[in-house]
Amino acid sequence: MSEVVPAVPAAAPGRLRQAASNPLWAAGQAGAVARARWDLRSCQVLGPRARLFGRCRVSNYATIEIGERLLMYGDPVRGDLNAHDGGRLEIGDGVFINFGCSISAHTLVRIGDGCLIGQYSIVMDCDHHDPDGSTGHGRPRPIVIGDRVWMGARVTVLKGVTIGAGSVIGAGSVVTRDIPPGMLAAGAPARVIKPVER
């Protein structure tokens, strides 16, 4: 009986081809698919070919929808996906989420196709407390992250922000206001520095 080798496009680079023909690599990919199916099982929609290396904690009290080909790392620090009562978390196709990220939706968090989210990033559409110290969560406002946005490590995106498609957010930034499409922004608070060079 001949060994089954995963199909790889003919144009794939040599190293990728070698990895794909390795049974351990194939087993690792299969394990990541199984882990995604298990840890993300409470999501209303989980697109095909989602992969999770490590762990993710999901708290879904409303709606979480994830598109095709999610790649998420939860090792060495697991990720968190949260949809609170009345909240909606939408993650597009081909999104990468690195380890230690926390994404929380009280009203709406929408992450577009092809986004890259660096480790320890935080995306939250409410304050998680009232300024007067009461037990309320404050007033949530939607977050929309456009297609192909790249967020560096430890970026924090606060409520009411829209990040335009194709923008890059520098590591350690705190995004408190809208970022136009195709811009490089950085700082705390994040400010537009220049257009992204293509």
Side-chain angles (χ1 to χ4, degrees), residues 73-80 97-103 117-123 151-157 172-173:
Y73 284 95
D75 184 38
V77 179
R78 75 177 183 187
D80 288 304
I97 302 174
N98 214 334
F99 61 84
C101 290
S102 180
I103 303 172
I117 301 178
Q119 61 267 35
Y120 297 112
S121 290
I122 299 171
V123 180
M151 293 166 42
R154 299 181 186 275
V155 168
T156 300
V157 181
S173 297

Side-chain angles (χ1 to χ4, degrees), residues 3-9 12-13 15-33 51 53 71 73:
E3 179 182 348
V4 177
V5 177
V8 179
R15 286 188 179 181
L16 178 58
R17 250 193 238 191
Q18 287 176 349
S21 65
N22 182 332
L24 292 177
W25 181 87
Q29 295 295 310
V33 169
R51 292 170 294 157
F53 293 90
L71 174 57
Y73 284 95

Side-chain angles (χ1 to χ4, degrees), residues 4-193:
V4 177
V5 177
V8 179
R15 286 188 179 181
L16 178 58
R17 250 193 238 191
Q18 287 176 349
S21 65
N22 182 332
L24 292 177
W25 181 87
Q29 295 295 310
V33 169
R35 173 59 64 193
R37 293 271 171 218
W38 179 254
D39 277 15
L40 306 176
R41 66 190 180 280
S42 66
C43 300
Q44 280 76 13
V45 176
L46 178 60
R49 293 177 286 172
R51 292 170 294 157
L52 170 60
F53 293 90
R55 300 303 303 266
C56 180
R57 186 180 69 84
V58 178
S59 297
N60 186 5
Y61 297 100
T63 304
I64 299 177
E65 296 184 353
I66 299 174
E68 299 181 11
R69 302 182 319 279
L70 171 73
L71 174 57
M72 187 173 187
Y73 284 95
D75 184 38
V77 179
R78 75 177 183 187
D80 288 304
L81 301 180
N82 305 285
H84 302 270
D85 186 25
R88 182 177 187 87
L89 172 55
E90 300 175 2
I91 299 175
D93 296 338
V95 171
F96 170 70
I97 302 174
N98 214 334
F99 61 84
C101 290
S102 180
I103 303 172
S104 178
H106 278 79
T107 177
L108 172 67
V109 172
R110 178 177 296 138
I111 298 171
D113 296 343
C115 288
L116 307 173
I117 301 178
Q119 61 267 35
Y120 297 112
S121 290
I122 299 171
V123 180
M124 56 183 182
D125 67 354
C126 86
D127 300 319
H128 286 281
H129 60 81
D130 279 324
D132 62 6
S134 67
T135 58
H137 291 294
R139 182 177 170 205
R141 291 177 19 222
I143 291 174
V144 177
I145 299 174
D147 295 344
R148 303 175 316 283
V149 168
W150 177 19
M151 293 166 42
R154 299 181 186 275
V155 168
T156 300
V157 181
L158 299 180
K159 67 181 187 180
V161 164
T162 296
I163 301 176
S167 288
V168 175
I169 311 299
S173 297
V174 179
V175 186
T176 61
R177 65 182 72 173
D178 292 354
I179 304 297
M183 293 293 172
L184 170 64
R191 301 185 189 282
V192 172
I193 297 173

